[in-house]
Amino acid sequence: MRLTDTSDLWWKTAVIYCLDIETFLDSNDDGVGDLQGLSHRIDYLAELGVTCLWLMPFYPTPGRDDGYDVTDFYGVDARLGHLGDLVEVIRTARDRGIRVIADLVVNHTSDQHPWFRAARSSRDSPYRDFYIWRDEPPATQPKPVFPDAEDGVWQFDEKTQQYYLHNFYHHQPDLNLGNPRVRDEIAKMMGFWLELGISGFRVDAVSYLLEEQAESDPHELVRNLRKYLSRRAGDAVLLGENNLPYEQQLPYFGDGDAEGLTMQFDFVAMQQMYLSLAREDARPLAAALQDRPVLAEEAQWANFVRNHDELTLDKLSDDERAEVFEAFAPEQHMRLFDRGIRRRLPTMLDGDPRRVRMIYSLLFSLPGTPVLFYGEELGMGENLDIEGRQAVRTPMQWNDSPGAGFSRTPRRGLAPRVTGDGYGPAHVNAAQQRNDPDSLLRYMELLIKRYRASSEIGWGRFLLLEQESTCVLAHAMIGEQGAMIAVHNFSSHPQTVSITVPDVEGPVQLVELLDDGRVETDGRGRVELELQGYGARWLRVHRSDDLRLT
């Protein structure tokens, strides 16, 4: 690849930042974040180094599932603003070098959506087959996504005397995606947002698409969406939420032809990373990275430490999950659905800045595209007084005022949800960290700068490096524009490791990217590296023909 190719497949070296508009910045003192507030923070995101802004659902909604219960796919929730405000956000972001993608929630609608209201009005409604109905539920049923709230996935409708499918909440009926009319509606909706300047979509709950329709192929649906997207906007992306084993994710990429999802989140490596953290042993994560399939050039893995849902651990064994629970969620109220954790990283790590920084260093050095959830760059905590997954969706902490700078009315709307205790705005906020050269925010800015200047991370070949310490993950990213080495210590104890730099002949210099200094290999490419407890180092392999600044 040429360096200029990175602008064609921009997502391979992007920094994606996920936020919920309603919890980001309140501009009109109603206690709810809004689009005008977001527009005033685009420069903050640009300063951080964000290149792609992922907006959680902003559509009209009854608000029973944090916006994922949509009543109008063509509108903006009035609490947040209107279409004109959204276009101004998109335009301002583009001017600052930031693309915007939106949540595509097409597995289901709200039961208040006009389609469903018409569908349940009569069995003869033209919208009846927009949803999935049965006279009797199947004998075998999948477990509901939210087992604490739902006993099953079929809900009886009194008026029409049939059951409708809902994999999520009963007030979120599943769309019949096997119906060509529904697919046409989805395509039109995607086309609408693309015309307004959206650069793609994060596809919600991919693995549930067409789950109950054996005659329909979900991979065909994804391929058709990708074809439509490519026709309308050639550089737009589909980022899939698809919590499946690797071998089941591959078909959603389009197998080897890259005609499916552009990117998928890597849930497997994320869960193994937490197991490695709990054990202070890098081997679980190393094994997952070794097993991770190599993708076509146009496709990409999306890496993350935390997202907006519970921290799911469903791909671990029961014993492994128990280990992680004991280490990071020892109390029952910190857990959710018996499969996940409703805490943010800093609180799970008892606020240890060494471990927090090591993990984010790891995130930006792994092959793939890093995804941040708002507030991670500050080390925000959660509010366990809020029920369920909302515990990690607290207002953004801009300063140390009572409303955290999120709102000037700290007792209205969502403002009372601000995190308290040692992770509250008095201790964790953007204003203070922007003026502290040693803050986590400044460290994240450094990581992003180094990541963006190292195209081999997004484009290159991953190679796990042999060394003797089970506590250390050492890997190389090797690309046509250069190579870099990353070493991360999962242990509290200092480690010394000896590695061989691949593909070099004779001595070569390694330039520190997160600190000052250089080290040199011996004539066989061997070098000994020291790591502090929970330490991390990035080293660029410097060659005489390397055109990059060192």
Side-chain angles (χ1 to χ4, degrees):
M1 51 84 71
R2 299 171 303 164
L3 185 63
T4 50
D5 291 339
T6 58
S7 63
D8 295 332
L9 306 184
W10 60 267
W11 54 87
K12 292 179 70 75
T13 52
V15 177
I16 302 175
Y17 188 96
C18 170
L19 65 84
D20 191 346
I21 296 167
E22 70 175 10
T23 58
F24 208 59
L25 183 63
D26 166 24
S27 72
N28 61 359
D29 301 335
D30 64 354
V32 177
D34 46 57
L35 286 160
Q36 288 194 31
L38 172 56
S39 67
H40 283 276
R41 290 293 182 265
I42 295 297
D43 285 326
Y44 165 84
L45 298 176
E47 183 180 278
L48 175 60
V50 172
T51 65
C52 179
L53 177 58
W54 157 22
L55 299 180
M56 291 172 62
F58 49 75
Y59 314 104
T61 172
R64 300 182 67 184
D65 186 24
D66 204 33
Y68 286 91
D69 47 335
V70 179
T71 60
D72 179 5
F73 289 115
Y74 293 93
V76 171
D77 188 333
R79 298 173 309 141
L80 310 179
H82 50 63
L83 284 173
D85 295 324
L86 178 62
V87 170
E88 288 194 349
V89 165
I90 296 169
R91 181 177 175 81
T92 304
R94 183 184 299 139
D95 178 69
R96 307 306 196 270
I98 301 173
R99 291 174 169 87
V100 178
I101 64 174
D103 253 306
L104 185 67
V105 187
V106 294
N107 175 268
H108 53 259
T109 69
S110 165
D111 61 2
Q112 299 303 305
H113 193 287
W115 294 346
F116 189 71
R117 296 178 72 174
R120 74 191 316 182
S121 67
S122 166
R123 291 197 185 192
D124 297 324
S125 167
Y127 289 95
R128 185 71 174 179
D129 62 355
F130 270 43
Y131 299 88
I132 301 167
W133 301 88
R134 299 285 185 271
D135 289 327
E136 295 292 337
T140 303
Q141 301 183 32
K143 292 181 179 180
V145 174
F146 304 119
D148 64 327
E150 303 292 345
D151 295 327
V153 298
W154 293 92
Q155 182 73 17
F156 188 66
D157 179 60
E158 291 286 350
K159 183 171 183 179
T160 57
Q161 295 292 297
Q162 279 189 312
Y163 292 84
Y164 63 83
L165 177 67
H166 65 92
N167 275 293
F168 293 77
Y169 292 111
H170 69 273
H171 56 80
Q172 293 169 315
D174 279 21
L175 282 166
N176 178 10
L177 297 176
N179 182 343
R181 290 178 61 208
V182 174
R183 295 190 184 200
D184 286 346
E185 290 292 340
I186 292 171
K188 285 189 286 187
M189 178 262 290
M190 291 170 62
F192 175 81
W193 294 111
L194 291 170
E195 287 297 314
L196 290 184
I198 291 291
S199 294
F201 303 91
R202 176 262 188 185
V203 188
D204 185 52
V206 176
S207 60
Y208 289 93
L209 303 179
L210 297 167
E211 186 176 52
E212 291 296 313
Q213 301 162 67
E215 70 279 6
S216 300
D217 180 5
H219 307 121
E220 179 190 8
L221 170 62
V222 171
R223 287 194 295 271
N224 287 339
L225 292 178
R226 176 68 180 275
K227 288 178 182 178
Y228 177 82
L229 189 76
S230 297
R231 291 197 303 270
R232 289 296 180 95
D235 65 346
V237 299
L238 291 178
L239 168 59
E241 180 202 29
N242 214 7
N243 182 13
L244 293 172
Y246 288 137
E247 64 273 12
Q248 295 179 35
Q249 285 185 278
L250 279 178
Y252 287 95
F253 279 117
D255 289 319
D257 58 17
E259 292 183 354
L261 294 170
T262 319
M263 294 188 285
Q264 292 186 65
F265 290 104
D266 186 350
F267 282 88
V268 173
M270 179 275 292
Q271 295 180 48
Q272 295 298 326
M273 178 190 73
Y274 279 96
L275 183 60
S276 285
L277 268 174
R279 293 178 174 176
E280 297 200 351
D281 183 343
R283 287 175 295 181
L285 175 58
L289 294 171
Q290 286 282 73
D291 291 341
R292 181 200 256 188
V294 176
L295 305 176
E297 184 176 69
E298 297 82 4
Q300 184 71 301
W301 293 106
N303 302 316
F304 66 105
V305 171
R306 195 66 181 85
N307 64 12
H308 58 290
D309 291 331
E310 77 278 4
L311 180 69
T312 185
L313 303 171
D314 66 326
K315 296 298 178 285
L316 301 181
S317 70
D318 290 345
D319 289 342
E320 290 170 340
R321 190 179 309 112
E323 281 186 71
V324 178
F325 276 153
E326 182 61 30
F328 304 132
E331 301 177 29
Q332 188 62 40
H333 74 286
M334 299 173 177
R335 307 173 188 177
L336 197 60
F337 309 137
D338 293 324
R339 66 174 184 241
I341 297 173
R342 60 192 204 101
R343 307 181 76 191
R344 284 184 178 248
L345 180 72
T347 57
M348 286 190 277
L349 302 183
D350 297 321
D352 188 335
R354 301 172 301 164
R355 298 180 85 184
V356 171
R357 293 183 184 218
M358 184 273 288
I359 285 298
Y360 285 112
S361 168
L362 178 67
L363 170 70
F364 282 96
S365 72
L366 289 178
T369 299
V371 182
L372 293 172
F373 184 48
Y374 76 94
E376 281 190 279
E377 72 276 16
L378 304 177
M380 279 176 52
E382 70 283 341
N383 185 348
L384 293 175
D385 291 334
I386 306 173
E387 291 187 2
R389 301 191 288 184
Q390 297 294 327
V392 300
R393 302 175 186 176
T394 57
M396 182 67 172
Q397 295 170 196
W398 296 109
N399 59 40
D400 61 1
S401 67
F406 160 73
S407 177
R408 292 181 293 258
T409 55
R411 298 184 182 277
R412 295 189 65 186
L414 301 178
R417 294 186 176 185
V418 169
T419 301
D421 301 326
Y423 296 92
H427 305 283
V428 178
N429 69 75
Q432 180 272 324
Q433 292 196 27
R434 291 182 76 215
N435 295 307
D436 180 358
D438 297 321
S439 67
L440 178 60
L441 176 63
R442 291 305 186 199
Y443 183 70
M444 295 285 266
E445 291 174 3
L446 173 64
L447 290 174
I448 291 172
K449 287 178 182 176
R450 297 295 182 258
Y451 159 80
R452 290 280 292 167
S454 304
S455 60
E456 60 266 36
I457 298 176
W459 285 76
R461 172 170 58 95
F462 168 80
L463 182 63
L464 193 68
L465 300 180
E466 293 184 4
Q467 43 79 36
E468 294 182 354
S469 175
T470 60
C471 306
V472 173
L473 181 74
H475 72 276
M477 295 303 305
I478 305 167
E480 294 183 27
Q481 299 299 319
M484 58 92 72
I485 306 293
V487 285
H488 292 84
N489 181 11
F490 282 77
S491 169
S492 59
H493 301 292
Q495 303 289 319
T496 300
V497 296
S498 180
I499 62 170
T500 299
V501 178
D503 302 338
V504 299
E505 296 181 3
V508 67
Q509 282 195 336
L510 304 178
V511 181
E512 298 276 4
L513 294 181
L514 303 182
D515 208 338
D516 296 326
R518 299 169 183 243
V519 295
E520 188 168 304
T521 69
D522 64 17
R524 298 175 300 165
R526 300 283 297 177
V527 65
E528 193 170 86
L529 300 173
E530 294 182 354
L531 289 165
Q532 298 298 317
Y534 303 125
R537 293 173 72 175
W538 292 20
L539 302 119
R540 175 169 292 159
V541 181
H542 181 59
R543 305 173 188 270
S544 58
D545 59 350
D546 195 336
L547 298 179
R548 295 181 291 187
L549 288 172
T550 58

